[in-house]
Short mmCIF file of all heavy atoms in Angstrom, two decimals:
data_model
loop_
_atom_site.label_atom_id
_atom_site.label_comp_id
_atom_site.label_asym_id
_atom_site.label_seq_id
_atom_site.Cartn_x
_atom_site.Cartn_y
_atom_site.Cartn_z
N MET A 1 85.56 70.00 71.65
CA MET A 1 86.29 70.11 72.91
C MET A 1 85.95 71.45 73.59
O MET A 1 85.90 72.47 72.93
CB MET A 1 87.78 70.05 72.67
CG MET A 1 88.26 68.65 72.33
SD MET A 1 90.03 68.58 72.01
CE MET A 1 90.71 69.08 73.53
N LYS A 2 85.75 71.36 74.86
CA LYS A 2 85.49 72.57 75.63
C LYS A 2 86.80 73.23 76.02
O LYS A 2 87.78 72.55 76.30
CB LYS A 2 84.73 72.24 76.92
CG LYS A 2 83.27 72.13 76.77
CD LYS A 2 82.69 71.94 78.16
CE LYS A 2 81.23 72.23 78.17
NZ LYS A 2 80.68 72.07 79.52
N LYS A 3 86.76 74.54 76.01
CA LYS A 3 87.93 75.25 76.52
C LYS A 3 87.89 75.19 78.04
O LYS A 3 86.85 75.36 78.64
CB LYS A 3 87.90 76.72 76.10
CG LYS A 3 88.32 76.96 74.68
CD LYS A 3 88.42 78.45 74.46
CE LYS A 3 88.88 78.74 73.07
NZ LYS A 3 88.99 80.17 72.81
N GLN A 4 89.04 74.92 78.60
CA GLN A 4 89.11 74.90 80.05
C GLN A 4 89.28 76.32 80.57
O GLN A 4 90.13 77.06 80.09
CB GLN A 4 90.27 74.04 80.52
CG GLN A 4 90.06 72.57 80.30
CD GLN A 4 91.20 71.76 80.86
OE1 GLN A 4 92.23 72.31 81.23
NE2 GLN A 4 91.03 70.46 80.92
N ILE A 5 88.44 76.67 81.51
CA ILE A 5 88.53 78.00 82.11
C ILE A 5 89.60 77.94 83.20
O ILE A 5 89.54 77.11 84.10
CB ILE A 5 87.17 78.42 82.70
CG1 ILE A 5 86.13 78.50 81.59
CG2 ILE A 5 87.30 79.75 83.41
CD1 ILE A 5 84.73 78.74 82.11
N LYS A 6 90.55 78.84 83.06
CA LYS A 6 91.63 78.87 84.03
C LYS A 6 91.12 79.54 85.31
O LYS A 6 90.70 80.68 85.29
CB LYS A 6 92.82 79.64 83.47
CG LYS A 6 94.02 79.64 84.37
CD LYS A 6 95.17 80.37 83.75
CE LYS A 6 96.34 80.39 84.69
NZ LYS A 6 97.44 81.17 84.16
N GLU A 7 91.15 78.80 86.39
CA GLU A 7 90.68 79.33 87.66
C GLU A 7 91.81 80.09 88.35
O GLU A 7 92.98 79.75 88.21
CB GLU A 7 90.19 78.21 88.55
CG GLU A 7 88.93 77.55 88.05
CD GLU A 7 88.41 76.52 89.03
OE1 GLU A 7 88.74 76.61 90.23
OE2 GLU A 7 87.69 75.63 88.58
N ASP A 8 91.42 81.11 89.06
CA ASP A 8 92.39 81.88 89.84
C ASP A 8 92.86 81.02 91.00
O ASP A 8 92.06 80.55 91.80
CB ASP A 8 91.75 83.17 90.34
CG ASP A 8 92.77 84.14 90.86
OD1 ASP A 8 93.98 83.88 90.71
OD2 ASP A 8 92.37 85.17 91.43
N SER A 9 94.17 80.80 91.08
CA SER A 9 94.70 79.88 92.08
C SER A 9 94.91 80.54 93.44
O SER A 9 95.29 79.88 94.39
CB SER A 9 96.02 79.30 91.59
OG SER A 9 96.97 80.32 91.44
N THR A 10 94.67 81.85 93.52
CA THR A 10 94.88 82.51 94.80
C THR A 10 93.63 82.42 95.66
O THR A 10 92.52 82.51 95.18
CB THR A 10 95.25 83.99 94.60
OG1 THR A 10 94.21 84.63 93.87
CG2 THR A 10 96.56 84.13 93.84
N THR A 11 93.86 82.23 96.94
CA THR A 11 92.75 82.15 97.89
C THR A 11 92.35 83.56 98.30
O THR A 11 93.12 84.51 98.11
CB THR A 11 93.17 81.35 99.12
OG1 THR A 11 94.23 82.04 99.78
CG2 THR A 11 93.61 79.95 98.74
N PRO A 12 91.17 83.72 98.89
CA PRO A 12 90.77 85.05 99.37
C PRO A 12 91.75 85.63 100.39
O PRO A 12 91.98 86.83 100.42
CB PRO A 12 89.40 84.81 100.01
CG PRO A 12 88.87 83.61 99.30
CD PRO A 12 90.07 82.76 99.01
N LEU A 13 92.35 84.76 101.21
CA LEU A 13 93.33 85.23 102.18
C LEU A 13 94.56 85.82 101.48
O LEU A 13 95.07 86.87 101.89
CB LEU A 13 93.75 84.08 103.10
CG LEU A 13 94.74 84.43 104.21
CD1 LEU A 13 94.11 85.41 105.19
CD2 LEU A 13 95.19 83.18 104.93
N GLU A 14 95.02 85.16 100.42
CA GLU A 14 96.17 85.67 99.67
C GLU A 14 95.84 87.00 99.00
O GLU A 14 96.69 87.89 98.93
CB GLU A 14 96.63 84.66 98.65
CG GLU A 14 97.26 83.42 99.25
CD GLU A 14 97.55 82.35 98.22
OE1 GLU A 14 96.97 82.39 97.12
OE2 GLU A 14 98.35 81.45 98.53
N LYS A 15 94.63 87.13 98.49
CA LYS A 15 94.22 88.38 97.86
C LYS A 15 94.21 89.52 98.87
O LYS A 15 94.71 90.61 98.60
CB LYS A 15 92.84 88.24 97.24
CG LYS A 15 92.81 87.38 96.01
CD LYS A 15 91.40 87.25 95.46
CE LYS A 15 91.37 86.30 94.28
NZ LYS A 15 90.01 86.10 93.78
N ARG A 16 93.66 89.25 100.07
CA ARG A 16 93.64 90.29 101.10
C ARG A 16 95.05 90.65 101.55
O ARG A 16 95.35 91.81 101.84
CB ARG A 16 92.82 89.82 102.30
CG ARG A 16 91.34 89.78 102.03
CD ARG A 16 90.56 89.56 103.29
NE ARG A 16 91.10 88.45 104.07
CZ ARG A 16 90.41 87.46 104.57
NH1 ARG A 16 89.11 87.42 104.40
NH2 ARG A 16 90.98 86.50 105.27
N GLU A 17 95.94 89.64 101.59
CA GLU A 17 97.32 89.90 101.99
C GLU A 17 98.01 90.81 100.97
O GLU A 17 98.73 91.74 101.35
CB GLU A 17 98.07 88.59 102.11
CG GLU A 17 99.49 88.74 102.60
CD GLU A 17 100.21 87.41 102.71
OE1 GLU A 17 99.67 86.38 102.27
OE2 GLU A 17 101.33 87.41 103.23
N LYS A 18 97.77 90.57 99.69
CA LYS A 18 98.37 91.42 98.65
C LYS A 18 97.85 92.84 98.73
O LYS A 18 98.61 93.80 98.58
CB LYS A 18 98.09 90.83 97.27
CG LYS A 18 98.87 89.59 96.97
CD LYS A 18 98.54 89.04 95.60
CE LYS A 18 99.26 87.74 95.35
NZ LYS A 18 98.93 87.16 94.05
N ILE A 19 96.54 92.99 98.99
CA ILE A 19 95.97 94.34 99.11
C ILE A 19 96.55 95.05 100.33
O ILE A 19 96.91 96.23 100.26
CB ILE A 19 94.43 94.25 99.20
CG1 ILE A 19 93.86 93.77 97.87
CG2 ILE A 19 93.83 95.59 99.59
CD1 ILE A 19 92.39 93.44 97.91
N ALA A 20 96.68 94.33 101.45
CA ALA A 20 97.24 94.93 102.67
C ALA A 20 98.69 95.35 102.44
O ALA A 20 99.11 96.44 102.87
CB ALA A 20 97.14 93.96 103.83
N GLU A 21 99.47 94.53 101.76
CA GLU A 21 100.86 94.89 101.46
C GLU A 21 100.92 96.11 100.57
O GLU A 21 101.77 96.99 100.76
CB GLU A 21 101.57 93.72 100.78
CG GLU A 21 101.91 92.59 101.70
CD GLU A 21 102.52 91.40 100.98
OE1 GLU A 21 102.64 91.44 99.74
OE2 GLU A 21 102.88 90.43 101.65
N SER A 22 100.02 96.20 99.62
CA SER A 22 99.99 97.37 98.73
C SER A 22 99.67 98.64 99.51
O SER A 22 100.28 99.68 99.27
CB SER A 22 98.94 97.18 97.64
OG SER A 22 99.21 96.04 96.88
N ILE A 23 98.72 98.54 100.44
CA ILE A 23 98.36 99.71 101.24
C ILE A 23 99.54 100.16 102.09
O ILE A 23 99.81 101.37 102.21
CB ILE A 23 97.13 99.40 102.12
CG1 ILE A 23 95.89 99.24 101.24
CG2 ILE A 23 96.89 100.50 103.15
CD1 ILE A 23 94.68 98.73 101.95
N ILE A 24 100.29 99.21 102.65
CA ILE A 24 101.45 99.58 103.47
C ILE A 24 102.53 100.22 102.61
O ILE A 24 103.16 101.20 103.01
CB ILE A 24 101.97 98.36 104.25
CG1 ILE A 24 100.96 97.98 105.31
CG2 ILE A 24 103.33 98.65 104.88
CD1 ILE A 24 101.28 96.73 106.08
N MET A 25 102.75 99.70 101.40
CA MET A 25 103.75 100.30 100.51
C MET A 25 103.35 101.73 100.14
O MET A 25 104.20 102.62 100.09
CB MET A 25 103.91 99.45 99.24
CG MET A 25 104.53 98.12 99.47
SD MET A 25 106.18 98.29 100.14
CE MET A 25 106.59 96.62 100.45
N ILE A 26 102.07 101.94 99.86
CA ILE A 26 101.60 103.29 99.56
C ILE A 26 101.78 104.18 100.79
O ILE A 26 102.16 105.35 100.67
CB ILE A 26 100.13 103.25 99.09
CG1 ILE A 26 100.05 102.59 97.72
CG2 ILE A 26 99.52 104.64 99.05
CD1 ILE A 26 98.64 102.26 97.28
N GLY A 27 101.52 103.63 101.99
CA GLY A 27 101.70 104.39 103.22
C GLY A 27 103.15 104.79 103.45
O GLY A 27 103.43 105.90 103.90
N ILE A 28 104.07 103.90 103.12
CA ILE A 28 105.50 104.24 103.23
C ILE A 28 105.83 105.37 102.28
O ILE A 28 106.49 106.36 102.65
CB ILE A 28 106.38 103.00 102.95
CG1 ILE A 28 106.25 101.98 104.07
CG2 ILE A 28 107.84 103.40 102.77
CD1 ILE A 28 106.91 100.65 103.77
N PHE A 29 105.37 105.26 101.05
CA PHE A 29 105.64 106.29 100.04
C PHE A 29 105.06 107.63 100.47
O PHE A 29 105.74 108.66 100.43
CB PHE A 29 105.05 105.84 98.69
CG PHE A 29 105.17 106.86 97.61
CD1 PHE A 29 106.37 107.11 97.00
CD2 PHE A 29 104.05 107.58 97.21
CE1 PHE A 29 106.48 108.05 96.00
CE2 PHE A 29 104.14 108.53 96.22
CZ PHE A 29 105.36 108.76 95.61
N LEU A 30 103.79 107.62 100.89
CA LEU A 30 103.16 108.87 101.31
C LEU A 30 103.80 109.44 102.58
O LEU A 30 103.96 110.65 102.70
CB LEU A 30 101.66 108.66 101.53
CG LEU A 30 100.83 108.44 100.29
CD1 LEU A 30 99.38 108.16 100.68
CD2 LEU A 30 100.90 109.63 99.36
N GLY A 31 104.17 108.55 103.51
CA GLY A 31 104.82 109.00 104.73
C GLY A 31 106.14 109.69 104.47
O GLY A 31 106.44 110.74 105.05
N ILE A 32 106.93 109.14 103.56
CA ILE A 32 108.21 109.77 103.22
C ILE A 32 107.98 111.11 102.53
O ILE A 32 108.67 112.09 102.80
CB ILE A 32 109.05 108.81 102.33
CG1 ILE A 32 109.52 107.63 103.17
CG2 ILE A 32 110.23 109.54 101.70
CD1 ILE A 32 110.18 106.52 102.37
N ASN A 33 106.98 111.17 101.64
CA ASN A 33 106.70 112.44 100.96
C ASN A 33 106.17 113.49 101.93
O ASN A 33 106.55 114.67 101.82
CB ASN A 33 105.70 112.22 99.82
CG ASN A 33 106.37 111.62 98.62
OD1 ASN A 33 107.49 111.97 98.30
ND2 ASN A 33 105.69 110.71 97.95
N VAL A 34 105.30 113.10 102.84
CA VAL A 34 104.80 114.06 103.83
C VAL A 34 105.95 114.56 104.70
O VAL A 34 106.06 115.75 104.99
CB VAL A 34 103.68 113.42 104.69
CG1 VAL A 34 103.36 114.26 105.90
CG2 VAL A 34 102.43 113.23 103.85
N TRP A 35 106.83 113.63 105.10
CA TRP A 35 107.98 114.01 105.91
C TRP A 35 108.87 114.99 105.14
O TRP A 35 109.32 116.00 105.67
CB TRP A 35 108.74 112.76 106.30
CG TRP A 35 110.00 112.99 107.10
CD1 TRP A 35 110.33 114.08 107.82
CD2 TRP A 35 111.06 112.07 107.25
NE1 TRP A 35 111.53 113.91 108.42
CE2 TRP A 35 112.02 112.68 108.10
CE3 TRP A 35 111.31 110.79 106.78
CZ2 TRP A 35 113.20 112.05 108.47
CZ3 TRP A 35 112.49 110.16 107.16
CH2 TRP A 35 113.42 110.78 107.99
N ALA A 36 109.09 114.71 103.86
CA ALA A 36 109.97 115.57 103.06
C ALA A 36 109.37 116.95 102.83
O ALA A 36 110.07 117.96 102.91
CB ALA A 36 110.26 114.89 101.72
N PHE A 37 108.09 117.02 102.54
CA PHE A 37 107.50 118.30 102.17
C PHE A 37 106.96 119.08 103.36
O PHE A 37 106.91 120.30 103.32
CB PHE A 37 106.40 118.10 101.11
CG PHE A 37 106.95 117.67 99.79
CD1 PHE A 37 106.70 116.40 99.30
CD2 PHE A 37 107.77 118.51 99.04
CE1 PHE A 37 107.21 115.99 98.09
CE2 PHE A 37 108.29 118.12 97.83
CZ PHE A 37 108.01 116.85 97.35
N ALA A 38 106.55 118.40 104.43
CA ALA A 38 106.08 119.10 105.62
C ALA A 38 107.25 119.49 106.51
O ALA A 38 107.16 120.44 107.28
CB ALA A 38 105.08 118.25 106.39
N GLY A 39 108.32 118.73 106.42
CA GLY A 39 109.51 119.04 107.19
C GLY A 39 109.50 118.50 108.61
O GLY A 39 110.45 118.71 109.36
N THR A 40 108.44 117.80 108.99
CA THR A 40 108.41 117.21 110.33
C THR A 40 108.24 115.70 110.21
O THR A 40 107.40 115.21 109.45
CB THR A 40 107.26 117.78 111.17
OG1 THR A 40 106.04 117.60 110.47
CG2 THR A 40 107.46 119.26 111.46
N PHE A 41 109.05 115.00 110.97
CA PHE A 41 109.04 113.55 110.93
C PHE A 41 107.73 112.98 111.46
O PHE A 41 107.24 111.96 110.97
CB PHE A 41 110.22 113.00 111.73
CG PHE A 41 110.24 111.51 111.83
CD1 PHE A 41 110.54 110.73 110.73
CD2 PHE A 41 109.95 110.87 113.03
CE1 PHE A 41 110.56 109.35 110.81
CE2 PHE A 41 109.96 109.50 113.12
CZ PHE A 41 110.27 108.74 112.01
N ILE A 42 107.16 113.64 112.45
CA ILE A 42 105.98 113.09 113.13
C ILE A 42 104.80 112.95 112.17
O ILE A 42 104.06 111.96 112.25
CB ILE A 42 105.60 113.94 114.37
CG1 ILE A 42 104.56 113.22 115.23
CG2 ILE A 42 105.11 115.30 113.98
CD1 ILE A 42 105.09 112.01 115.94
N TRP A 43 104.60 113.87 111.24
CA TRP A 43 103.47 113.76 110.31
C TRP A 43 103.66 112.62 109.33
O TRP A 43 102.72 111.92 108.97
CB TRP A 43 103.22 115.07 109.58
CG TRP A 43 102.63 116.10 110.48
CD1 TRP A 43 103.21 117.26 110.88
CD2 TRP A 43 101.36 116.03 111.14
NE1 TRP A 43 102.39 117.92 111.75
CE2 TRP A 43 101.24 117.20 111.92
CE3 TRP A 43 100.33 115.10 111.16
CZ2 TRP A 43 100.12 117.45 112.70
CZ3 TRP A 43 99.21 115.37 111.94
CH2 TRP A 43 99.11 116.52 112.69
N GLY A 44 104.88 112.40 108.89
CA GLY A 44 105.16 111.24 108.05
C GLY A 44 104.93 109.94 108.78
O GLY A 44 104.39 108.98 108.22
N LEU A 45 105.30 109.91 110.06
CA LEU A 45 105.08 108.72 110.87
C LEU A 45 103.59 108.48 111.09
O LEU A 45 103.13 107.33 111.05
CB LEU A 45 105.81 108.89 112.21
CG LEU A 45 105.87 107.67 113.11
CD1 LEU A 45 106.64 106.54 112.41
CD2 LEU A 45 106.52 108.02 114.42
N VAL A 46 102.84 109.55 111.31
CA VAL A 46 101.39 109.42 111.49
C VAL A 46 100.75 108.82 110.24
O VAL A 46 99.91 107.91 110.33
CB VAL A 46 100.76 110.79 111.83
CG1 VAL A 46 99.25 110.76 111.70
CG2 VAL A 46 101.16 111.22 113.23
N VAL A 47 101.14 109.29 109.06
CA VAL A 47 100.59 108.76 107.81
C VAL A 47 100.93 107.28 107.66
O VAL A 47 100.08 106.47 107.29
CB VAL A 47 101.11 109.57 106.60
CG1 VAL A 47 100.76 108.89 105.29
CG2 VAL A 47 100.56 110.98 106.63
N PHE A 48 102.16 106.91 107.99
CA PHE A 48 102.58 105.52 107.88
C PHE A 48 101.80 104.62 108.85
O PHE A 48 101.33 103.55 108.48
CB PHE A 48 104.08 105.40 108.12
CG PHE A 48 104.58 103.99 108.14
CD1 PHE A 48 104.48 103.19 107.01
CD2 PHE A 48 105.15 103.46 109.28
CE1 PHE A 48 104.93 101.88 107.04
CE2 PHE A 48 105.60 102.16 109.31
CZ PHE A 48 105.49 101.37 108.18
N VAL A 49 101.65 105.06 110.09
CA VAL A 49 100.94 104.26 111.09
C VAL A 49 99.46 104.13 110.70
O VAL A 49 98.87 103.05 110.85
CB VAL A 49 101.11 104.88 112.49
CG1 VAL A 49 100.19 104.23 113.50
CG2 VAL A 49 102.56 104.75 112.94
N LEU A 50 98.86 105.19 110.19
CA LEU A 50 97.47 105.11 109.74
C LEU A 50 97.33 104.11 108.59
O LEU A 50 96.33 103.38 108.52
CB LEU A 50 96.96 106.48 109.31
CG LEU A 50 96.62 107.43 110.46
CD1 LEU A 50 96.23 108.80 109.90
CD2 LEU A 50 95.53 106.88 111.34
N SER A 51 98.31 104.05 107.70
CA SER A 51 98.24 103.08 106.61
C SER A 51 98.32 101.65 107.14
O SER A 51 97.68 100.75 106.61
CB SER A 51 99.35 103.33 105.58
OG SER A 51 100.60 102.92 106.08
N ILE A 52 99.07 101.45 108.22
CA ILE A 52 99.14 100.12 108.83
C ILE A 52 97.78 99.74 109.41
O ILE A 52 97.31 98.61 109.24
CB ILE A 52 100.24 100.06 109.91
CG1 ILE A 52 101.61 100.14 109.25
CG2 ILE A 52 100.12 98.78 110.74
CD1 ILE A 52 102.75 100.20 110.21
N PHE A 53 97.12 100.68 110.08
CA PHE A 53 95.79 100.41 110.63
C PHE A 53 94.79 100.09 109.53
O PHE A 53 93.97 99.18 109.66
CB PHE A 53 95.30 101.58 111.48
CG PHE A 53 95.99 101.68 112.81
CD1 PHE A 53 96.40 102.91 113.29
CD2 PHE A 53 96.22 100.56 113.59
CE1 PHE A 53 97.02 103.02 114.52
CE2 PHE A 53 96.85 100.66 114.82
CZ PHE A 53 97.25 101.90 115.29
N ILE A 54 94.84 100.83 108.44
CA ILE A 54 93.93 100.58 107.32
C ILE A 54 94.21 99.21 106.71
O ILE A 54 93.29 98.46 106.39
CB ILE A 54 94.04 101.70 106.27
CG1 ILE A 54 93.52 103.02 106.86
CG2 ILE A 54 93.28 101.35 105.00
CD1 ILE A 54 93.83 104.23 106.01
N ALA A 55 95.49 98.87 106.56
CA ALA A 55 95.85 97.57 106.00
C ALA A 55 95.37 96.44 106.91
O ALA A 55 94.88 95.41 106.43
CB ALA A 55 97.36 97.48 105.80
N GLN A 56 95.48 96.61 108.22
CA GLN A 56 95.00 95.59 109.15
C GLN A 56 93.49 95.43 109.05
O GLN A 56 92.97 94.32 109.09
CB GLN A 56 95.39 95.94 110.59
CG GLN A 56 96.85 95.74 110.88
CD GLN A 56 97.25 94.29 110.79
OE1 GLN A 56 96.56 93.42 111.29
NE2 GLN A 56 98.38 94.03 110.16
N PHE A 57 92.79 96.54 108.91
CA PHE A 57 91.33 96.49 108.75
C PHE A 57 90.96 95.72 107.50
O PHE A 57 90.07 94.87 107.51
CB PHE A 57 90.75 97.91 108.71
CG PHE A 57 89.30 97.93 108.44
CD1 PHE A 57 88.39 97.59 109.41
CD2 PHE A 57 88.81 98.28 107.18
CE1 PHE A 57 87.02 97.60 109.17
CE2 PHE A 57 87.46 98.29 106.92
CZ PHE A 57 86.56 97.94 107.92
N VAL A 58 91.65 96.00 106.39
CA VAL A 58 91.35 95.31 105.12
C VAL A 58 91.69 93.84 105.24
O VAL A 58 90.94 92.98 104.77
CB VAL A 58 92.13 95.96 103.96
CG1 VAL A 58 92.07 95.11 102.71
CG2 VAL A 58 91.58 97.35 103.67
N PHE A 59 92.81 93.52 105.87
CA PHE A 59 93.26 92.12 105.96
C PHE A 59 92.31 91.29 106.82
O PHE A 59 91.97 90.17 106.46
CB PHE A 59 94.67 92.05 106.54
CG PHE A 59 95.21 90.66 106.60
CD1 PHE A 59 95.62 90.01 105.45
CD2 PHE A 59 95.30 89.98 107.80
CE1 PHE A 59 96.10 88.71 105.48
CE2 PHE A 59 95.79 88.69 107.86
CZ PHE A 59 96.19 88.07 106.69
N TRP A 60 91.84 91.82 107.94
CA TRP A 60 91.01 91.05 108.86
C TRP A 60 89.53 91.17 108.58
O TRP A 60 88.73 90.56 109.27
CB TRP A 60 91.30 91.44 110.31
CG TRP A 60 92.67 91.02 110.71
CD1 TRP A 60 93.73 91.83 110.94
CD2 TRP A 60 93.13 89.68 110.91
NE1 TRP A 60 94.83 91.08 111.27
CE2 TRP A 60 94.50 89.77 111.26
CE3 TRP A 60 92.54 88.43 110.81
CZ2 TRP A 60 95.27 88.65 111.52
CZ3 TRP A 60 93.32 87.32 111.08
CH2 TRP A 60 94.65 87.43 111.42
N LYS A 61 89.16 91.95 107.59
CA LYS A 61 87.75 92.13 107.24
C LYS A 61 87.14 90.87 106.69
O LYS A 61 87.71 90.07 106.07
CB LYS A 61 87.62 93.26 106.22
CG LYS A 61 86.22 93.62 105.87
CD LYS A 61 86.21 94.87 105.07
CE LYS A 61 86.04 94.53 103.61
NZ LYS A 61 85.85 95.66 102.78
#
């Protein structure tokens, strides 16, 4: 008997979506830390918005 190879059930779109979500979560974390340690809200917001742009690039690539 042959062993059945378990195929990955996720589609490429689902994989990209998970990566994009991960990038946004990291951006939220980094944005809060930058805001806390730099003391200005605008730099934390800039980091968060940049993470959204990077996530969109990865998702639509």
